[in-house]
């Protein structure tokens, strides 16, 4: 029943309602697909058979009782930074090997309540730091469109699982592009909500002022349904907004007729953008114009400073957040240390991988006495300038469109020796995090046989606007996310 | 400006990361490369620009000061590499007098 692994949520829900299939059938089809393919893709780190049995069983009971919820019985994968009680969660790091969270994060519990069925835990860059999933403390993940290439990152396992038909939807986190960039590179839809839209309770923190949880799916509707189910205020996250979660769907079915879409020249001509990516974006812009949108030039003049500001703020927050990994309350511990400082130092040296140590060092340096004003405070001021750039651009347009990533998926190993070249993968996405904006990446064709993603950014709380543009594009262009032809 | 090995040792101590052979050179080179890119921030005049620490609209979220359930002791200790008598076990914290 391999076609069951190509369904969208709406199609699956219809078949479930008709009793043509059961939630258990849906799980079995995905587990079969995983068994057949995941040795090559390596999207998953762990599986949760005890959960999928129980949750599929509950879903079938709910369907029998007439529950019309769209997510009942939908198979879902969860990134390894999101806590589910009793399920080993390691943030892709050896330092957390064996850690079983004592509670379930809010986004996950809301999706479970909505009826989603968890298949397993997906691979990612260690502590979500990276753009290729090569920084995983376990193994790299392979792009389902070309197994010699990266799936992007940091949520590369989730993107690859959805692209490979191993899960219908997946959860990721996005701190500088970690949902949108792998979605682009794997040819699926990925959305980062407005900062504060989804509770971060139960998300293992990387950079707390930037992190957001969001969905991966194979169509815009599925991403919207998944986001709506987890959005909304949570008293357990003081930064979560009290806006109504379902607002993300307001007017979202309407087209783009009369909307103004801004094309920032700094993004359009960003350094290193591949000609094939540019051609696909040109085509997408044309398609949106044909659908009735007005295309306007806008400018984000501080784009060239975004990466620099981000690579102070994110490492600074990471160095603070990761101080808790000391080998005392959870995770790895080094035996035979003379004293507690030595125990901390040896545990952290051994447990953290190269990129995490690099960022902890960078962040600690930027926050250290004598350098705080020159680096951290300066970066926060530049963050203000970047946010103002977006505020001004949104005076002239309703949403911003650009490429998600300047390049298509790159070969495994090609950027690991040069951290700056890897960081540049996020140059078009991290502005959205610095300004707290919602952004979505939607497939917009291929270049050199590999997927290209179109990014739509909207003003804060404008998820409905971003979704509306993405959905109109999907509908009018006829470009749909497809399951990668792996068989 | 490039990082010296002394600075690397100081920052590693602050970050509680032990240094293994080759680490000092590695961090000095790599962090200097990244900082060279970051130094472009100094080109911008930000004298009159306020810093942004976070971008959300909410501020000082408060709740009623009423007890609510927390982790049980068993849950809290379940992931500890070493626990003794309901405590986390760690190496000695104070030097012997």
């Amino acid at each position: 029943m391999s076609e069951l692994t190509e369904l969208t949520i709406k199609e699956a829900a219809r078949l479930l309602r008709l009793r043509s299939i059961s939630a258990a059938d849906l799980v079995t089809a995905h587990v079969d697909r995983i068994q057949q393919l995941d040795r090559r893709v390596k999207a998953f780190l762990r599986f949760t058979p005890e959960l999928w049995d129980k949750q599929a069983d509950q879903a079938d009971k709910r369907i029998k009782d007439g529950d019309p919820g769209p997510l009942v019985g939908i198979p879902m994968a969860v990134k390894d930074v999101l806590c589910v009680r009793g399920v080993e969660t390691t943030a892709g790091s050896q330092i957390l090997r064996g850690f079983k969270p004592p509670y379930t994060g809010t986004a996950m519990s809301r999706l479970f309540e909505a009826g989603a069925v968890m298949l397993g835990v997906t691979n990612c860059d260690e502590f979500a730091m990276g753009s290729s999933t090569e920084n995983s403390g376990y193994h790299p993940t392979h792009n389902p469109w070309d197994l010699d290439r990266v799936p992007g990152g940091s949520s590369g396992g989730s993107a690859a699982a959805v692209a490979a038909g191993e899960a219908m939807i997946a959860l990721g986190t996005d701190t500088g592009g970690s949902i949108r960039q792998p979605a682009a590179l794997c040819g699926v839809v990925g959305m980062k909500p407005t900062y504060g839209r989804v509770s971060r309770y139960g998300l293992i923190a990387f950079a707390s002022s930037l992190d957001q949880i969001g969905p991966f799916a194979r169509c815009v509707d599925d991403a919207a349904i998944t986001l709506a189910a987890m959005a909304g205020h949570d008293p357990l996250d003081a930064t979560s907004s009290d806006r109504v979660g379902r607002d993300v769907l307001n007017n979202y079915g309407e087209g783009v007729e009369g909307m103004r879409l801004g094309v920032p020249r700094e993004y359009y001509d960003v350094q290193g953008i591949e000609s094939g990516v540019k051609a696909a974006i040109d085509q997408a812009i044309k398609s949106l114009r044909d659908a009735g949108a007005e295309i306007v030039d806008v400018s984000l003049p501080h784009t060239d400073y975004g990466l620099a500001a981000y690579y102070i703020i994110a490492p600074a927050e990471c160095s603070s957040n990761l101080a808790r990994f000391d080998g005392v309350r959870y995770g790895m511990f080094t035996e035979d240390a003379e004293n507690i400082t030595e125990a901390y130092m040896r545990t952290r040296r051994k447990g953290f991988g190269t990129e995490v140590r690099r960022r902890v060092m960078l962040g600690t340096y930027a926050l250290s006495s004598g350098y705080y004003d020159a680096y951290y405070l300066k970066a926060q001021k530049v963050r203000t300038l970047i946010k103002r750039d977006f505020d001004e651009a949104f005076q002239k347009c309703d949403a911003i469109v650009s490429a998600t990533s300047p390049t298509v998926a790159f070969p495994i190993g090609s950027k690991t020796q040069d951290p700056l070249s890897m960081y540049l993968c996020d140059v078009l996405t991290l502005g959205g995090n610095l300004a707290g904006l919602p952004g979505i990446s939607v497939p917009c064709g291929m270049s050199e046989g590999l997927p290209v993603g179109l990014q739509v950014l909207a003003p804060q709380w404008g998820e409905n606007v971003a979704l509306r543009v993405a959905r109109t594009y999907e509908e009018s262009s006829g470009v749909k996310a497809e399951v990668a032809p792996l068989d | 400006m490039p990082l010296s090995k002394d600075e690397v040792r100081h920052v590693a101590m602050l970050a509680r990361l032990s240094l293994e052979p080759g680490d000092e050179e590695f961090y000095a080179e790599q962090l200097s490369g990244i900082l060279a890119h970051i130094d472009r921030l100094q080109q911008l005049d930000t004298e009159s620009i306020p810093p942004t620490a976070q971008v959300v609209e909410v501020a000082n979220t408060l709740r009623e000061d009423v007890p609510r359930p927390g982790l049980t002791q068993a849950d809290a200790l379940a992931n500890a590499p070493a626990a003794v008598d309901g405590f986390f076990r760690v190496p000695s914290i104070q030097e012997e007098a």
Side-chain angles (χ1 to χ4, degrees):
Chain A
M1 293 180 101
S2 71
E3 68 273 21
L4 290 188
T5 58
E6 296 184 7
L7 298 175
T8 64
I9 290 178
K10 273 191 182 153
E11 292 161 351
R14 192 179 66 86
L15 295 174
L16 287 165
R17 250 31 99 204
L18 289 170
R19 309 282 182 84
S20 308
I21 57 168
S22 67
D25 293 338
L26 216 43
V27 164
T28 305
H30 283 85
V31 172
D32 286 351
R33 176 105 180 147
I34 288 166
Q35 278 173 348
Q36 184 197 339
L37 293 176
D38 208 52
R39 265 168 304 157
R40 292 193 281 151
V41 177
K42 293 177 173 289
F44 283 87
L45 287 174
R46 287 155 223 121
F47 299 98
T48 48
E50 64 298 326
L51 268 180
W52 78 51
D53 278 344
K54 193 180 94 187
Q55 291 174 335
D57 192 47
Q58 284 169 348
D60 280 324
K61 287 199 180 86
R62 283 170 72 165
I63 292 161
K64 206 171 148 208
D65 293 340
D67 185 335
L71 285 166
V72 178
I74 299 302
M76 171 174 80
V78 177
K79 184 181 182 180
D80 190 31
V81 294
L82 298 168
C83 293
V84 175
R85 185 180 164 92
V87 174
E88 185 180 347
T89 306
T90 65
S93 182
Q94 290 292 338
I95 209 166
L96 272 175
R97 187 187 271 275
F99 174 69
K100 291 185 174 169
Y103 61 86
T104 300
T106 303
M108 285 63 70
S109 51
R110 285 183 183 173
L111 287 165
F112 294 156
E113 279 160 32
V117 177
M118 179 163 170
L119 295 172
V121 176
T122 50
N123 197 21
C124 59
D125 287 300
E126 187 178 4
F127 286 100
M129 296 175 200
S131 307
S132 69
T133 314
E134 291 165 291
N135 296 335
S136 165
Y138 298 89
H139 52 70
T141 292
H142 300 259
N143 191 309
W145 292 91
D146 178 346
L147 295 170
D148 294 330
R149 289 173 189 263
V150 303
S154 67
S155 314
S158 287
V162 172
E166 296 178 348
M168 200 174 293
I169 53 172
L171 296 184
T173 58
D174 191 316
T175 304
S178 282
I179 291 174
R180 290 161 288 161
Q181 184 258 13
L185 270 45
C186 289
V188 299
V189 177
M191 183 160 203
K192 171 220 172 294
T194 307
Y195 184 83
R197 179 67 90 174
V198 175
S199 166
R200 291 179 294 112
Y201 182 69
L203 156 60
I204 299 174
F206 156 20
S208 304
S209 80
L210 304 164
D211 297 340
Q212 268 290 291
I213 302 173
F216 288 93
R218 284 193 301 272
C219 66
V220 176
D221 276 346
D222 288 7
I225 291 166
T226 309
L227 175 60
M230 58 183 166
H233 182 66
D234 175 15
L236 298 173
D237 173 3
T239 61
S240 88
S241 163
D242 53 11
R243 287 166 189 257
V244 178
R246 290 195 62 80
D247 284 358
V248 300
L249 301 179
N250 284 350
N251 307 324
Y252 129 81
E254 293 169 22
V256 295
E257 187 89 52
M259 276 178 87
R260 292 165 308 164
L261 300 180
V263 178
R265 63 189 77 106
E266 296 83 358
Y267 280 25
Y268 184 77
D269 281 319
V270 74
Q271 192 194 342
I273 191 161
E274 294 172 351
S275 59
V277 171
K278 211 166 177 177
I281 297 303
D282 282 339
Q283 198 60 39
I285 291 171
K286 183 177 178 300
S287 171
L288 284 163
R289 184 187 285 128
D290 291 346
E294 184 193 342
I295 307 298
V296 297
D297 272 330
V298 294
S299 177
L300 300 168
H302 295 94
T303 297
D304 270 354
Y305 301 93
L307 189 74
Y310 180 85
Y311 274 96
I312 290 297
I313 292 168
E317 292 185 17
C318 117
S319 77
S320 167
N321 274 322
L322 269 54
R324 74 191 58 164
F325 299 102
D326 56 8
V328 172
R329 287 153 298 163
Y330 27 67
M332 182 184 279
F333 187 69
T334 314
E335 292 294 329
D336 308 325
E338 292 278 321
N339 57 54
I340 195 154
T341 305
E342 192 194 320
Y344 292 155
M345 292 180 77
R346 281 170 47 188
T347 300
R348 289 163 61 80
R349 172 62 180 81
K350 190 159 170 239
F352 290 144
T354 307
E355 179 63 20
V356 171
R357 282 186 276 116
R358 186 156 47 213
R359 293 206 203 181
V360 166
M361 288 288 288
L362 181 60
T364 304
Y365 176 73
L367 292 174
S368 66
S369 172
Y371 295 100
Y372 180 90
D373 284 0
Y375 288 113
Y376 189 64
L377 187 64
K378 185 80 183 180
Q380 285 188 310
K381 290 179 166 195
V382 175
R383 185 175 187 179
T384 305
L385 294 174
I386 287 166
K387 180 154 189 312
R388 286 181 185 171
D389 280 356
F390 280 106
D391 290 345
E392 276 175 41
F394 286 128
Q395 297 293 316
K396 299 189 189 115
C397 64
D398 302 297
I400 284 171
V401 292
S402 72
T404 307
S405 158
T407 72
V408 293
F410 44 91
I412 289 174
S414 63
K415 291 186 198 265
T416 42
Q417 296 311 307
D418 179 4
L420 207 56
S421 74
M422 187 73 87
Y423 297 170
L424 281 164
C425 294
D426 294 331
V427 69
L428 299 176
T429 46
L430 53 81
N433 300 78
L434 289 170
L437 312 176
I440 189 166
S441 181
V442 59
C444 71
M446 309 289 270
S447 166
E448 299 166 44
L450 295 161
V452 178
L454 171 74
Q455 174 176 243
V456 185
L457 294 170
Q460 286 190 358
W461 316 109
E463 278 86 346
N464 57 335
V465 175
L467 285 164
R468 186 169 152 186
V469 175
R471 187 176 191 266
T472 307
Y473 169 72
E474 185 183 61
E475 212 168 66
S476 61
S477 68
V479 179
K480 295 254 186 303
E482 283 169 40
V483 172
L486 275 154
D487 318 67
Chain B
M1 82 199 112
L3 244 70
S4 68
K5 285 190 188 177
D6 274 349
E7 282 177 303
V8 168
R9 279 192 290 273
H10 172 65
V11 175
M13 183 63 204
L14 291 175
R16 297 294 186 268
L17 283 169
S18 63
L19 291 167
E20 296 196 357
D23 280 359
E24 287 175 22
E25 295 77 7
F26 176 79
Y27 291 128
E29 187 210 316
Q30 297 244 311
L31 298 182
S32 298
I34 298 165
L35 289 168
H37 176 86
I38 286 167
D39 276 340
R40 71 176 57 193
L41 294 179
Q42 308 309 328
Q43 298 163 6
L44 293 171
D45 178 6
T46 53
E47 192 61 41
S48 60
I49 308 295
T52 295
Q54 52 96 7
V55 288
V56 288
E57 56 199 14
V58 292
N60 286 347
T61 303
L62 301 174
R63 67 170 175 86
E64 290 301 307
D65 187 17
V66 289
R68 58 182 185 197
L71 290 184
T72 63
Q73 188 180 40
D75 272 349
L77 290 168
N79 282 290
V84 182
D85 300 333
F87 293 95
F88 296 104
R89 190 170 73 84
V90 295
S92 67
I93 287 174
Q94 292 186 320
E95 304 289 323
E96 280 185 42

